Amino acid sequence: MSSRTDTDGARAAGPGSTGAQVTEAHVTAARTGEAITTSALHAAATGADTFPGVLREALNRRGLSLERVSERLRVRGITISQATLSSWQRGRSQPERARSLRAVEVLEEILELPAGSLRSLLGPRRPRGRITPPGAEGAALQILGEDSVVEKALGARFRHFNQETGSLVVHDIVQVGESGTLSGISTTNVLRASRAGADRAIFVLSFDDEAAEPVDIRVTCGRLVDATYLKGLKSLVLEIHFGRKLAKLDTAVVSYAVDVSPSETPATHYERWSRTNLHEYLQQVFFHPGALPSDCHRYVREKVGAPPRGRRRIPLSDAHNVHVLTSRCKPGVHGVAWDHGPGTEGTGGRPG
């Protein structure tokens, strides 16, 4: 299996910002794994007084996918793609042409909204072409791409992802168990506030293997506010409070560990993505003596899904671990991969 994490949010571990609305979420208690109410995590503001916010809220309330909405519009003689609807609900573009404005009127009927409730929220006409996302979102999109697991996991929060903080130093420790599967991840993250008042971060950890799920979460530096496992996305979202409000350029340290349920598929790699420069990134992978790899190497990707480059072999120590230390770590995806020997297939993971 694999897991992924990023420096500010995470697809296996990483920090972020404020609340959002996530559909089909399975929320777990940090230690017991038992289901708890989703209201605490989803009560944050969703921008419901804006066109994107009202549209998202109505879609969630009616339980309609963008595919079904696009089809219902088509039946009524209006062709609006899922991609366009997605752009509208994320605030990246807005309806302006006559056909689009007609679609908004029909959307009000489909979503059972009062007539004019959506159209009245449209602002002045915007410049033609795609709207450039704000800095935090735009930088994340460059690394993750459109409609990534992280974007889906964070929902509305993705637009302001880690806007108030940035990571300086990150240390990941990955544990590979006797069966060769991922058994745990621990992370220490040093963050610096880009503005006064920052007091929390969100981290997203993603797993490639459906059988690998978080079974225990421990926060040793910071205070765990929410832990949500989104089974359909194979992603864990953590919201961790610093314990105080930071002044501008002040720093905070967050440390947490996640134990993972046993899997049938051996782990083969671990990745962390970063949208900003890190002063330093240290990744350590510890192998059980019964699951030692035949080869280990490091690599980087320009973005998620891009071909790996800069592949270099790294030696296994007598203590059965490997490490990679990168100073002035550039934005991108930074990973360590290993082989278990001929005929062995496996998966991996990345924080992001």
Side-chain angles (χ1 to χ4, degrees), residues 66 81-88:
L66 297 183
S81 68
Q82 296 179 51
T84 297
L85 291 171
S86 176
S87 183
W88 288 357

Side-chain angles (χ1 to χ4, degrees), residues 136-220:
E137 180 187 9
L141 285 171
Q142 287 183 355
I143 303 300
L144 295 171
E146 294 279 352
D147 297 320
S148 66
V149 170
V150 175
E151 184 173 2
K152 292 175 182 177
L154 295 179
R157 288 172 293 183
F158 188 76
R159 294 196 64 197
H160 309 287
F161 189 33
N162 298 327
Q163 197 171 41
E164 297 183 337
T165 60
S167 293
L168 298 176
V169 178
V170 178
H171 180 192
D172 285 328
I173 297 176
V174 182
Q175 300 283 350
V176 177
E178 185 174 8
S179 62
T181 63
L182 180 71
S183 62
I185 301 168
S186 60
T187 294
T188 296
N189 199 320
V190 182
L191 305 104
R192 181 167 59 192
S194 58
R195 63 181 65 177
D199 64 356
R200 68 193 62 207
I202 289 178
F203 304 80
V204 184
L205 294 77
S206 297
F207 308 94
D208 288 348
D209 190 348
E210 292 183 352
E213 296 186 3
V215 293
D216 189 37
I217 302 166
R218 301 174 303 282
V219 176
T220 55

Side-chain angles (χ1 to χ4, degrees), residues 2-5 172 174 268-274 281-285 296-304 306-314 322-326 329-338 348-351:
S2 74
S3 66
R4 331 182 163 90
T5 306
D172 285 328
V174 182
T268 58
H269 62 278
Y270 180 87
E271 295 179 345
R272 168 172 289 275
W273 69 268
S274 171
Y281 174 52
L282 172 62
Q283 182 182 147
Q284 293 178 279
V285 184
C296 297
H297 60 271
R298 62 185 295 181
Y299 60 91
V300 296
R301 304 180 194 270
E302 290 185 359
K303 59 184 179 179
V304 171
R309 56 181 177 79
R311 179 183 168 115
R312 284 171 29 191
R313 192 171 185 276
I314 49 179
V322 297
H323 80 274
V324 173
L325 175 64
T326 305
C329 189
K330 295 182 178 180
V333 181
H334 305 270
V336 168
W338 53 90
R350 345 170 166 62

Side-chain angles (χ1 to χ4, degrees), residues 20 37 41 43 52 68-69 92-93 132 142 152 154 177 185 188 209 230 249 265 286-287 290 293 320 337 346 348:
T37 178
L41 186 66
R68 290 178 62 190
V69 171
R92 295 178 185 163
S93 66
T132 302
Q142 287 183 355
K152 292 175 182 177
L154 295 179
I185 301 168
T188 296
D209 190 348
L230 304 164
L249 302 183
T265 309
F286 288 81
F287 298 93
H320 308 146

